[in-house]
């Protein structure tokens, strides 16, 4: 016997507020980040949990249920939009910094967060562009007026180079590699998150609130 189905008129309208009955994988809405913001979680999957409040939109038929395969709300999957808190790194200014003392070497950088790396990346060849790190010893900037204190945050903005500015080669000692950097600061931000089109949430997994 077919299970009871909900009349199609009871479909949830676009941007209706609902509560999730199940957990859903989501990704950050990239448009919520300003130009220059760095968020290592941008390309990763995250989870909204059962009980989280979301808005629904863009319903599409996923399966047909009911008598004679008549479309009903249970046939539809929705895109959803919720929010989660993330650490976002803000650039303090736009200019790239090339430090002038011996303390800008590879060995003076303590990685904090790596970008998403390809499976064949070898750390023996240095830290990749986008690595967020702290400074172990003070750094003097090229204008000689600003000092980067130990523990301050930076992001690596170049491939590893030799002290003369040439491309680093794997046979060179990695401890002598140098990088261009940008100073950054950490900030907590609430960002929108959405499920992908291939991971829709069914009508029965949502409870409408308003």
């Amino acid at each position: 016997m077919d299970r009871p189905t909900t009349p199609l008129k009871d479909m949830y309208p676009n941007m209706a507020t609902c509560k999730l009955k199940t957990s859903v994988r989501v990704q950050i809405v990239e448009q919520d980040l300003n130009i220059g913001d760095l968020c290592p979680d941008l390309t990763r999957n995250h989870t909204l949990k059962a009980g989280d409040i979301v808005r629904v939109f863009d319903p599409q038929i996923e399966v047909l249920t009911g008598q004679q395969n008549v479309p009903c709300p249970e046939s539809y999957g929705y895109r959803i939009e919720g929010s989660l808190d993330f650490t976002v790194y803000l650039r303090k200014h736009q200019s790239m910094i090339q430090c002038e003392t011996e303390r800008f070497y590879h060995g003076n950088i303590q990685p904090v967060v790596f970008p998403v790396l390809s499976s064949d990346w070898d750390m023996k060849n240095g830290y990749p562009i986008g690595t967020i790190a702290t400074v172990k010893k003070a750094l003097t900037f090229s204008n000689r007026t600003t000092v980067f204190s130990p523990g301050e945050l930076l992001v690596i903005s170049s491939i590893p180079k030799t002290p003369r500015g040439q491309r680093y080669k794997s046979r060179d000692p990695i401890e002598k590699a140098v990088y261009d950097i940008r100073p950054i600061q950490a900030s907590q931000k609430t960002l929108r998150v959405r499920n992908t089109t291939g991971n829709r949430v069914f009508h029965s997994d949502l409870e409408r609130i308003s």
Side-chain angles (χ1 to χ4, degrees), residues 15-173:
M15 307 318 289
T17 301
C18 297
K19 181 165 64 174
L20 289 174
K21 297 180 181 179
T22 186
S23 60
V24 181
R25 294 195 314 275
V26 292
Q27 292 183 328
I28 293 171
V29 177
E30 187 172 358
Q31 291 80 357
D32 277 10
L33 295 171
N34 297 321
I35 295 176
D37 287 355
L38 302 173
C39 183
D41 293 314
L42 178 61
T43 58
R44 298 185 172 104
N45 287 324
H46 309 281
T47 303
L48 288 173
K49 303 184 297 297
D52 285 347
I53 304 302
V54 298
R55 292 189 297 177
V56 301
F57 63 100
D58 188 27
Q60 298 288 337
I61 290 181
E62 298 287 312
V63 295
L64 291 175
T65 60
Q67 293 181 346
Q68 298 180 348
N69 288 337
V70 176
C72 62
E74 285 80 2
S75 307
Y76 285 79
Y78 296 83
R79 296 288 305 279
I80 62 166
E81 179 178 285
S83 61
L84 291 170
D85 292 332
F86 297 94
T87 299
V88 177
Y89 297 90
L90 314 177
R91 293 177 180 176
K92 291 185 178 179
H93 53 73
Q94 293 300 312
S95 61
M96 188 176 295
I97 295 169
Q98 295 178 324
C99 302
E100 291 189 338
T101 74
E102 74 281 358
R103 290 184 292 271
F104 64 96
Y105 286 131
H106 176 96
N108 191 34
I109 294 174
Q110 180 62 52
V112 176
V113 182
F114 289 110
V116 176
L117 302 176
S118 61
S119 58
D120 59 351
W121 182 268
D122 188 349
M123 286 296 176
K124 293 179 181 179
N125 295 327
Y127 301 136
I129 293 174
T131 298
I132 294 166
T134 58
V135 173
K136 295 179 182 179
K137 297 181 181 178
L139 288 170
T140 303
F141 295 168
S142 55
N143 59 15
R144 298 182 182 275
T145 61
T146 308
V147 175
F148 224 156
S149 301
E152 287 195 50
L153 287 166
L154 60 86
V155 60
I156 292 175
S157 303
S158 73
I159 60 174
K161 301 179 291 186
T162 67
R164 293 185 177 183
Q166 299 170 328
R167 186 182 181 90
Y168 169 82
K169 297 179 181 178
S170 58
R171 65 175 178 270
D172 299 327

